[in-house]
Amino acid sequence: MSLGDSIRKGTKWLLAGSVAGQFLQFAFGVVLARLLLPADFGMILTIQIFTGFAGMVMSGGMGQSLIRAKNADEKDFNAVFTMQLAMSILIYVSFFISAPLISEFFNNPLYTDLVRVSTLVFLLKPFSLMYNAWLNREMNFKIMSLVGLLSNMVSGFASILMAWFGMGVWSLTLAGLLGALFRNLLLGRILPIRLNLHPNFSIMRKHSAYGFKITTNDFISYLTRESKTLILSKFAGPAFLGLFNKGESLSRTPNEIIMPATMKPVFRAMSKVQDDLDKSKYMLYRAITLLTVYTMPFYIGLWWVAEPFIGTVYGEKWIASAEPLRILALSGIFFNILFPSGVLLDAQNKLTQEMIVQVIKLVVVITACFIGLNWGLMGVAWGIFFGNFFGAFATYYLVYRTINTRLMELVEAVTPGLLLGALLFAVLAVMHVALGELKSTAPSIYLLVMVITGAVSYGTAFLLLPIQALHSESSRWRSQLRNAVKSIGIPR
């Protein structure tokens, strides 16, 4: 199988798993939002500030090193597994001892038990990280997607059941542990790799050298993301944090559906051809083009229907999340530049330069959050918007310095998606005017009409407009639609 076929096959499975996983997460999230309070979600997010950092320290970026390495056998995996298991035990003990201090800092005694229970997941992470690295290296995204989907179902149903019986924030904590345990047990039975203790320090040093750069970069990126969580939790409270996070997480849903499905196989492919800059450049711009085209209707749609969507689906207690959702949806296009550019830099081992950009972005986001708090949820959202803008174009500047490229190539890559997005925006603007007061009097009907109109108009424009950069992609979809029509016997 060619490299291109491997990417397409892997992307299909990852995309199918991602779409199904996001649908389940959305469905479970709606039910949990009805059963729980914003403060419950805010408390979990607060704990994840600490556990997320510790998780990066434990992984050490060595999973990425195993994926990127030209050669890696079972000894490599077991040596890395041994090191990560030792670190995970040390991290759990540290959290168990320091849990009362975290509780005192946030002035909430419940955090002591929440931290001690939720951090049990670290004892499962070494297994999960090695299984993921093996699946990514083999580009076996079918198993990754199916097992991920099953574990999400186990975790989701468990959380709803526990929330129904009034377990509050504990329903989120315990269900996450159950899902992680189920996933490890299932992959342990399916995969041929057998994890054993193998303290080979030479192998550990080999993978930790690249892994250290990855971890440092991820740590700075993590601080950029979670600094706002810490600031909002400490200075605005868990309810404010829960509301803001709802809007932000929904705005990133298109990326979370599509990015893993594309970036994992693209990173592995770019790693294989890391010495061929022309192929790497082609993959970069093709990824940006397709990501922009496939995510643009979600960004535009969310901008128009944020308020009726939040009110109809999650209920009135979450309605304040609508405005941050609208603002942050506008910044979605920046991720379509940021993530492919970051993947190329990782494959080219340009992590030190990327690290400098991440540090500057960290300062920008922290400053913007503090300033934005003066204007509430909207102020923080605009601050994050500016941080996303800076991060995307600063990272692309590093790409510009790494490969032989021009700014016009980036403009050409995003133009098809921007053109289709502009047409969609115009159609929805006309429909918004035509619907009149329906948005406030019957929000669910307004939401349904806008979604159907947007989907039909964008899909039609994508399939029929003669956009040269999308010719092969739209032709492939037209062919699949014709085959689908033939298979079910619908006369044309």
Side-chain angles (χ1 to χ4, degrees), residues 128-405:
S128 177
L129 289 167
M130 290 302 95
Y131 292 147
N132 281 339
W134 190 90
L135 289 168
N136 272 283
R137 183 170 177 82
E138 298 296 317
M139 298 186 81
N140 192 340
F141 301 113
K142 177 179 179 179
I143 290 179
M144 179 182 291
S145 299
L146 293 176
V147 172
L149 186 62
L150 288 174
S151 61
N152 285 340
M153 291 177 65
V154 169
S155 178
F157 282 119
S159 63
I160 289 175
L161 185 63
M162 286 185 275
W164 178 266
F165 283 102
M167 294 179 65
V169 67
W170 287 106
S171 61
L172 302 174
T173 302
L174 296 176
L177 284 171
L178 182 61
L181 178 61
F182 175 82
R183 188 178 189 278
N184 279 351
L185 291 175
L186 189 56
L187 286 176
R189 295 292 302 271
I190 294 174
L191 300 185
I193 184 172
R194 293 292 173 261
L195 298 175
N196 299 297
L197 297 180
H198 182 63
N200 188 313
F201 296 103
S202 175
I203 295 176
M204 292 177 185
R205 283 193 299 270
K206 178 180 72 173
H207 291 290
S208 62
Y210 176 84
F212 175 76
K213 294 181 181 180
I214 285 283
T215 301
T216 305
N217 236 331
D218 286 347
F219 171 63
I220 299 170
S221 179
Y222 170 81
L223 284 180
T224 303
R225 294 192 311 270
E226 298 302 329
S227 58
K228 65 179 181 294
T229 302
L230 180 60
I231 292 169
L232 298 182
S233 180
K234 177 64 177 176
F235 296 102
F240 185 101
L241 172 61
L243 289 169
F244 180 82
N245 178 260
K246 179 61 69 180
E248 184 183 34
S249 61
L250 287 171
S251 74
R252 298 188 68 160
T253 297
N255 301 101
E256 291 174 354
I257 291 174
I258 296 175
M259 290 297 177
T262 52
M263 294 303 98
K264 288 180 181 179
V266 167
F267 172 71
R268 179 58 183 152
M270 283 187 176
S271 297
K272 284 185 175 182
V273 299
Q274 57 191 267
D275 298 325
D276 191 333
L277 295 183
D278 288 334
K279 284 186 178 180
S280 297
K281 183 171 75 169
Y282 172 79
M283 291 181 193
L284 167 71
Y285 286 119
R286 191 59 180 167
I288 290 175
T289 296
L290 296 180
L291 286 172
T292 305
V293 167
Y294 284 120
T295 58
M296 188 59 67
F298 296 98
Y299 303 143
I300 301 298
L302 285 172
W303 192 89
W304 280 104
V305 305
E307 187 173 335
F309 174 76
I310 292 287
T312 300
V313 176
Y314 292 97
E316 290 299 316
K317 65 185 176 182
W318 293 94
I319 201 68
S321 301
E323 202 56 40
L325 170 57
R326 294 181 79 227
I327 295 168
L328 293 172
L330 294 174
S331 70
I333 187 174
F334 303 141
F335 294 115
N336 298 329
I337 300 170
L338 174 64
F339 285 100
S341 297
V343 166
L344 183 141
L345 294 172
D346 290 348
Q348 293 295 321
N349 199 12
K350 299 291 184 179
L351 300 174
T352 303
Q353 298 92 323
E354 194 177 357
M355 196 183 308
I356 297 172
V357 170
Q358 295 286 3
V359 170
I360 299 173
K361 184 182 177 183
L362 170 62
V363 175
V364 169
V365 169
I366 291 175
T367 304
C369 268
F370 271 116
I371 295 174
L373 274 172
N374 294 309
W375 292 273
L377 289 168
M378 287 182 60
V380 175
W382 279 115
I384 302 304
F385 176 95
F386 179 76
N388 292 338
F389 169 82
F390 172 83
F393 285 95
T395 304
Y396 178 76
Y397 176 74
L398 296 181
V399 170
Y400 180 83
R401 297 288 301 272
T402 301
I403 62 176
N404 182 24
T405 187

Side-chain angles (χ1 to χ4, degrees), residues 115-135:
V115 168
R116 287 175 171 172
V117 174
S118 63
T119 52
L120 286 170
V121 74
F122 283 103
L123 303 181
L124 304 174
K125 277 186 177 293
F127 299 89
S128 177
L129 289 167
M130 290 302 95
Y131 292 147
N132 281 339
W134 190 90
L135 289 168

Side-chain angles (χ1 to χ4, degrees), residues 388-459:
N388 292 338
F389 169 82
F390 172 83
F393 285 95
T395 304
Y396 178 76
Y397 176 74
L398 296 181
V399 170
Y400 180 83
R401 297 288 301 272
T402 301
I403 62 176
N404 182 24
T405 187
R406 297 174 294 109
L407 181 61
M408 280 305 300
E409 292 183 277
L410 175 62
V411 174
E412 292 168 0
V414 300
T415 294
L418 293 179
L419 175 61
L420 292 174
L423 291 173
L424 175 62
F425 189 92
V427 170
L428 292 181
V430 171
M431 183 56 65
H432 172 76
V433 173
L435 292 175
E437 299 297 319
L438 206 62
K439 182 177 181 180
S440 56
T441 58
S444 58
I445 297 176
Y446 174 91
L447 176 64
L448 180 63
V449 173
M450 292 289 277
V451 168
I452 293 174
T453 302
V456 171
S457 60
Y458 194 88

